[in-house]
Amino acid sequence: MKEPNLSFIAFSYFKGEIIIKKSNTLFLVEVAIFGALAYLLDVLAGVLSLKIWAQGGSISIAMVPVFIMAFRWGLKGGLLSGLILGLLQLTFGPVGVHIVQILLDYIVAFVVLGFAGLFASQVVNAVNRDDFKRAIYFVTFASFIACTLRFLSHYLAGIIFFRDAAPAGQPIEIYSLIYNGTYMLPSFVISTIVTLLLIKAVPRIFSFSKTVS
């Protein structure tokens, strides 16, 4: 029986380790870059006077970089990119009224955008097969789920902590629905369209899905 080539096995092992380390490094770099890009896009929306409410909330495409990471790297990529966006929002944004409100509006609300990554394999498969109709379906559905979760986080924070902000006679549930819905719905539509346009124009950025150890 031929003995195994130990040198070849060792070389293959170390080569695999190098590839994994490079993949992890690329992942972390992209998380930082796309998380920061998401924040810059949100700031740009404010500069362009796209804010719906003076207290916060603007129509922007800040969610697009998070969606890109979610589809490129899966759930972990989306969640961590959303976390970076939330931390930057918290660092440079207005002061909250309560620690739970801060967590809901700045951390949970942006981290949950990463749940679009649950559909990363479907999006990647559609792009690889050049099936744009299928890609439209899964990107839209993934974005809708992610945006709905973000909306619910903001909505809950509004109901619990901003009762005094509601106009006299208006239930806080209606006020929070209107307040958060007026910027979240347009942002969902615009972000989904921009993401789909990117897929159509530069499909290679979505044509692979990686896992990070």
Side-chain angles (χ1 to χ4, degrees):
M1 183 186 336
K2 187 177 182 181
E3 293 184 359
N5 190 329
L6 296 180
S7 61
F8 176 77
I9 293 174
F11 173 77
S12 299
Y13 173 79
F14 286 113
K15 182 179 180 181
E17 286 291 306
I18 291 173
I19 291 174
I20 291 174
K21 288 181 180 179
K22 285 184 177 180
S23 178
N24 289 343
T25 300
L26 175 63
F27 171 73
L28 293 175
V29 169
E30 288 194 8
V31 164
I33 291 175
F34 280 83
L37 177 60
Y39 175 72
L40 291 175
L41 289 174
D42 203 45
V43 171
L44 182 61
V47 172
L48 295 176
S49 300
L50 296 178
K51 280 193 173 184
I52 300 297
W53 303 96
Q55 300 93 332
S58 58
I59 299 174
S60 77
I61 57 173
M63 295 184 290
V64 171
V66 179
F67 291 157
I68 291 174
M69 285 297 292
F71 297 139
R72 279 175 65 84
W73 294 94
L75 187 61
K76 181 178 287 190
L79 294 177
L80 289 178
S81 298
L83 177 61
I84 295 296
L85 171 58
L87 290 174
L88 289 173
Q89 290 276 6
L90 179 58
T91 301
F92 300 104
V95 178
V97 299
H98 191 277
I99 182 62
V100 177
Q101 178 264 318
I102 290 173
L103 289 174
L104 286 172
D105 273 334
Y106 292 97
I107 303 301
V108 176
F110 294 106
V111 169
V112 295
L113 292 174
F115 280 101
L118 291 173
F119 302 92
S121 61
Q122 288 87 344
V123 172
V124 169
N125 289 336
V127 173
N128 286 337
R129 291 186 297 187
D130 199 23
D131 189 347
F132 190 61
K133 288 185 178 179
R134 187 174 176 84
I136 290 175
Y137 172 79
F138 281 110
V139 169
T140 301
F141 186 67
S143 301
F144 176 77
I145 295 298
C147 289
T148 298
L149 292 173
R150 177 186 169 186
F151 166 79
L152 290 175
S153 185
H154 290 311
Y155 178 73
L156 184 60
I159 290 177
I160 298 173
F161 298 103
F162 295 100
R163 289 184 175 275
D164 294 339
Q170 185 178 69
I172 183 59
E173 293 82 4
I174 300 300
Y175 174 74
S176 187
L177 176 66
I178 295 173
Y179 183 98
N180 293 293
T182 49
Y183 70 86
M184 277 303 306
L185 181 58
S187 293
F188 155 65
V189 173
I190 295 173
S191 295
T192 301
I193 291 173
V194 171
T195 303
L196 288 168
L197 289 175
L198 285 172
I199 288 179
K200 188 68 174 177
V202 196
R204 65 179 178 275
I205 67 174
F206 296 98
S207 62
F208 69 97
S209 182
K210 294 181 180 291
T211 55
V212 182
S213 59

